[in-house]
Each structure stands twice: as C-alpha cells, then as structure tokens.
Amino acid sequence: EKMGNQTSSTFSCLEDSAVATGSIKKMRAVIYDDYGGANVMKLGTVPVPKPLPTQLLVRVKAASINPIDVKRREGGLKQMQKESFPVTLGYDVSGEVIEVGAQAGDFKVGDQIFARVDQRAS
C-alpha cells in the first residue's frame, strides 16, 4: 500500500547516534489516529517503548504491512481488539537488537533478528 508520497515499508527509525549514547526517547513510525483507508496512515513520532523483562528493543531495518494490518486499520478487528490511538502499524519486522530484557533468553545487543511483533504486549 502507498501512504501519500511514501511507501509503507518505512515503519520505525532510531537515529544511530542516539542508539550509541542510549539517549533514545522518540522514534518515527507509521501510525494512524482513526480507522479508515490508506489515507489515514502517516509518518509520525512516538515514544520509544521500554522493553519488559521478557522483551527486546529492536532498531527496525525493514517491516511490512500485511492483510491483517489493513483489516485492523480499517476497523475490522475492533470488536475483538480495542485500539488506543495512535496505533503503530506492523507485525513483521527485521532489524538489530539494541536492548535486551533481563528474562529475554539468549539474545544480545547487536543480534540481527526477524520477528512477528505481539501487538497485545505493546
């Protein structure tokens, strides 16, 4: 899908200098503030989440919008899943681990990963 003049492949971006100093506070993400078509998506700035003990913080290099994202954005899941706007799109990501929760297994900073994001945990 297209979002204005930008493709939807840009999901979140953390500045390299901020990663190196640990001063990351905000990130860019494709978000929407209301249900609707592709026109409700926009590139916005959101707070960087603090990972829970069982989670990782990942600097996303690539992500995708899948049919489930489209259905969610259009409101097709609102009977099952209450949204708290703004919503950050994207379930599938790949990138570099930049922070590891204490109980997140054998991952370490610098690991290159791909994952399906559990949107319920965010």
Side-chain angles (χ1 to χ4, degrees), residues 18-59:
V19 171
T21 64
S23 63
I24 304 167
K25 303 235 185 309
K26 299 270 185 180
M27 66 181 188
R28 293 180 294 167
V30 174
I31 60 174
Y32 61 94
D33 293 313
D34 200 0
Y35 297 116
N39 62 313
V40 301
M41 294 186 300
K42 62 184 176 184
L43 187 59
T45 302
V46 297
V48 172
K50 178 74 176 152
L52 296 172
T54 58
Q55 296 178 333
L56 306 171
L57 181 60
V58 176
R59 183 172 70 219

Side-chain angles (χ1 to χ4, degrees), residues 39-89:
N39 62 313
V40 301
M41 294 186 300
K42 62 184 176 184
L43 187 59
T45 302
V46 297
V48 172
K50 178 74 176 152
L52 296 172
T54 58
Q55 296 178 333
L56 306 171
L57 181 60
V58 176
R59 183 172 70 219
V60 175
K61 305 276 184 153
S64 65
I65 291 181
N66 292 309
I68 191 69
D69 297 300
V70 173
K71 188 172 189 170
R72 183 179 178 202
R73 186 199 66 224
E74 291 173 341
L77 303 178
K78 64 183 171 184
Q79 296 297 326
M80 299 180 303
Q81 181 177 354
K82 180 148 174 56
E83 300 286 17
S84 178
F85 295 107
V87 173
T88 301
L89 278 174

